[in-house]
Amino acid sequence: MNQLIKNIALTLLVTLTATSAMAADPLPKKESALDLDALLKQLEQGQFQQTQQNNQREKDFVAKRAEQDQMLRDAGKNRDNALRTSETLETQFEENEFKLGDLNDALTKRLGSLKELFGVLQQVAGDTKSKFFNSVISAQIPNRAEFLDEMAQSMGSSSKLASIEEIERVWFEMQREMTESGKVTRFNADVVEAGGAKVSKEVVRVGTFALVADGKYLDYEGSTNSLGELIRQPAGRYTASAEALQASNGELVEFGLDPTGGSILKLLVQAPSLKERVEQGGLVGYIILIVGAIGLLLALERLITLTVIKTKVNKQLKSDKFTSNNPLGRVMQVRDKYPQADTESLELHLTEAILGEIPKLSRNLTIIKIISVVAPLMGLLGTVTGMINTFQAITLFGTGDPKLMAGGISTALVTTVLGLVVAIPMTLLYAMLNTRSKDVVFILQEQASGVIAERAERMETKSTPSA
């Protein structure tokens, strides 16, 4: 039965193969179709070829199966060898662990108190390395921290102990650091200027506190072992002391140093200058300054004018000859202009002359007073505007950065400061100029009253004999 099924399957397979061949290579249209005998013969030939192919395939499979069996046997042998090697290594590892533990115990017993010594030495080397890395002395004596770093890493990563030479070098470097911290020395080094150029300059080192070159403070960068000028230098009195130190030949000079190693100096140079403070006021701040400048010019003009007028009036008081170059002389000339006028008429003429002099004396004083009042109001306007901008920034970026709020509030208050700076001197100048103007007017009124009294006495004297 099985043989029959196999023969049927082979027949179908050969038929399909022949059909595929015929489809791939069709006969020409002019040739006649094969008869049934020829077709049967082709099927027999195809069945014979298929049988040969199947036999060859079975032989190949059997040959490869033997090869696969051999490979499986080889893999089994390799596994067994690996297992035996693993067991051997595990046994050796356990034995080495016991030996290593015994050796460590022996080393600990032999070291005794020296183990604590080397631990302290390793800690000191690490701490000293960090200090040397940021010390300005390293600008003059470089590559000190590398030795300490290598020794600390070597002692921490292995059981290697420091030698006597290494211990003595650690002591020497620490002693040299302490000794150099009390010296003011000069040395040549490459300095990166504020513009970016690297120039060799003479550098003055003040202990472990400051570095100065060409009268400017320097900043030492330990990571690159480089010196650079501070982009912004501190206030003028500090740079003046740096210049004095640079130019000194051993004599004592005053010098501003930073005992914190540069922290205070960096904060000091970040403080805005007067020009930057004014720029923080913005448009309102500039308007306040312009108005203040106008008021100051007007006040100076009034001060000079009133001083000159007061001098001429005082000189006129000492003279009997009246001139028209001062208010008192012009008022007194009214008396000579109306010698026969009665007391009331003369009083009216003198009052008219005094009233004519008052605008000249009090000119621009009202503007100065207005500026003294408006300046603080403008400063308040700038402050309110700045606070609005600050709150808008807080709305956008939140309150996570306190510097944002502090900077905005500081900028807003600058306009208030500018307004007060303008208003205070303007108020004082107005009071002083108004007082001087009134003094001159008071002299004019006093002298006019004397003239009226003199004219009244004269008129009374003339009228008495006739009575």
Side-chain angles (χ1 to χ4, degrees):
M1 185 68 181
N2 293 332
Q3 185 65 31
L4 178 60
I5 294 173
K6 186 182 293 186
N7 292 333
I8 294 173
L10 289 173
T11 303
L12 292 174
L13 180 60
V14 171
T15 304
L16 291 174
T17 304
T19 305
S20 300
M22 292 172 65
D25 190 12
L27 294 173
K29 294 181 180 180
K30 294 183 179 180
E31 294 182 0
S32 61
L34 296 174
D35 54 9
L36 292 178
D37 294 334
L39 180 60
L40 179 60
K41 186 176 181 180
Q42 288 183 356
L43 289 175
E44 290 177 354
Q45 293 177 355
Q47 182 179 4
F48 177 73
Q49 294 177 355
Q50 187 65 33
T51 301
Q52 289 180 343
Q53 292 178 359
N54 291 335
N55 293 332
Q56 183 64 34
R57 290 173 182 172
E58 289 177 359
K59 292 179 180 179
D60 294 341
F61 177 78
V62 171
K64 289 182 179 180
R65 182 176 179 180
E67 184 179 354
Q68 294 294 330
D69 292 338
Q70 183 62 35
M71 292 175 63
L72 180 60
R73 288 191 295 270
D74 294 340
K77 292 179 181 179
N78 293 334
R79 181 199 60 186
D80 295 338
N81 294 332
L83 289 175
R84 287 192 295 271
T85 304
S86 176
E87 293 175 356
T88 304
L89 293 176
E90 287 180 358
T91 303
Q92 185 178 359
F93 178 76
E94 292 176 356
E95 293 176 355
N96 291 335
E97 279 190 334
F98 287 117
K99 292 180 181 179
L100 184 61
D102 295 338
L103 292 175
N104 285 331
D105 293 339
L107 178 62
T108 302
K109 291 179 182 179
R110 294 188 64 182
L111 285 177
S113 59
L114 290 177
K115 185 175 182 180
E116 297 182 359
L117 172 63
F118 288 117
V120 173
L121 179 63
Q122 182 181 359
Q123 181 180 0
V124 170
D127 297 339
T128 307
K129 177 201 68 174
S130 301
K131 183 174 180 62
F132 286 176
F133 186 78
N134 297 318
S135 176
V136 297
I137 299 177
S138 298
Q140 181 181 3
I141 310 173
N143 302 325
R144 297 184 302 162
E146 284 75 2
F147 159 72
L148 297 175
D149 188 21
E150 293 176 358
M151 188 181 72
Q153 291 181 0
S154 176
M155 294 179 64
S157 61
S158 64
S159 58
K160 180 182 177 181
L161 302 179
S163 62
I164 299 297
E165 291 77 8
E166 291 176 337
I167 297 175
E168 289 179 348
R169 184 172 178 184
V170 173
W171 170 83
F172 172 75
E173 294 295 346
M174 295 177 65
Q175 181 65 35
R176 183 164 64 170
E177 177 76 11
M178 291 186 290
T179 303
E180 293 294 332
S181 64
K183 293 182 179 180
V184 179
T185 59
R186 299 172 183 266
F187 63 96
N188 293 324
D190 293 334
V191 178
V192 180
E193 296 181 340
K198 181 180 287 188
V199 182
S200 179
K201 296 183 179 181
E202 182 187 54
V203 179
V204 179
R205 177 179 58 82
V206 183
T208 59
F209 305 108
L211 293 168
V212 177
D214 291 342
K216 297 181 180 180
Y217 286 85
L218 304 181
D219 180 34
Y220 174 69
E221 184 62 35
S223 59
T224 59
N225 192 27
S226 60
L227 292 173
E229 291 182 358
L230 293 175
I231 297 177
R232 292 185 56 176
Q233 295 292 323
R237 61 193 183 99
Y238 298 110
T239 53
S241 66
E243 293 176 356
L245 176 66
Q246 189 87 25
S248 65
N249 293 321
E251 64 272 11
L252 294 178
V253 295
E254 294 183 357
F255 177 72
L257 56 83
D258 182 7
T260 62
S263 300
I264 297 178
L265 181 61
K266 291 180 180 179
L267 293 176
L268 184 63
V269 299
Q270 290 178 0
S273 61
L274 179 60
K275 180 181 178 181
E276 292 173 341
R277 286 290 188 189
V278 173
E279 291 176 351
Q280 288 179 353
L283 179 60
V284 177
Y286 286 117
I287 293 176
I288 293 173
L289 292 178
I290 292 173
V291 172
I294 294 173
L296 181 61
L297 293 176
L298 295 176
L300 291 176
E301 186 271 333
R302 282 290 85 196
L303 179 63
I304 296 173
T305 301
L306 290 176
T307 302
V308 173
I309 291 175
K310 184 67 178 298
T311 302
K312 291 181 179 180
V313 169
N314 291 334
K315 185 177 180 180
Q316 182 66 65
L317 289 173
K318 300 177 182 180
S319 176
D320 295 333
K321 184 178 180 181
F322 303 116
T323 59
S324 60
N325 63 347
N326 64 91
L328 181 58
R330 290 191 290 271
V331 171
M332 291 297 101
Q333 286 178 352
V334 173
R335 182 194 63 176
D336 298 336
K337 187 176 181 180
Y338 302 98
Q340 303 300 327
D342 56 7
T343 304
E344 295 180 357
S345 300
L346 181 60
E347 181 179 2
L348 293 175
H349 288 299
L350 291 174
T351 302
E352 181 183 5
I354 292 173
L355 292 175
E357 296 294 336
I358 289 176
K360 300 177 182 178
L361 296 174
S362 61
R363 185 178 61 186
N364 296 329
L365 292 182
T366 304
I367 298 177
I368 297 174
K369 183 178 181 181
I370 291 173
I371 291 175
S372 66
V373 175
V374 170
L377 296 178
M378 295 177 65
L380 180 61
L381 173 63
T383 299
V384 173
T385 305
M387 292 300 294
I388 292 173
N389 295 331
T390 300
F391 286 120
Q392 288 177 348
I394 293 174
T395 303
L396 294 175
F397 305 105
T399 59
D401 188 3
K403 292 183 179 181
L404 179 65
M405 298 176 59
I409 295 173
S410 176
T411 302
L413 294 177
V414 168
T415 55
T416 301
V417 173
L418 293 176
L420 294 176
V421 167
V422 172
I424 293 173
M426 287 297 103
T427 302
L428 296 176
L429 288 173
Y430 170 75
M432 181 180 64
L433 296 174
N434 190 40
T435 301
R436 290 198 176 191
S437 176
K438 288 183 177 180
D439 288 343
V440 176
V441 173
F442 177 76
I443 292 174
L444 297 181
Q445 292 175 347
E446 181 184 20
Q447 294 298 319
S449 298
V451 170
I452 294 172
E454 182 182 358
R455 180 63 60 88
E457 291 177 359
R458 187 185 305 172
M459 296 294 293
E460 185 179 355
T461 302
K462 288 183 179 180
S463 60
T464 301
S466 60

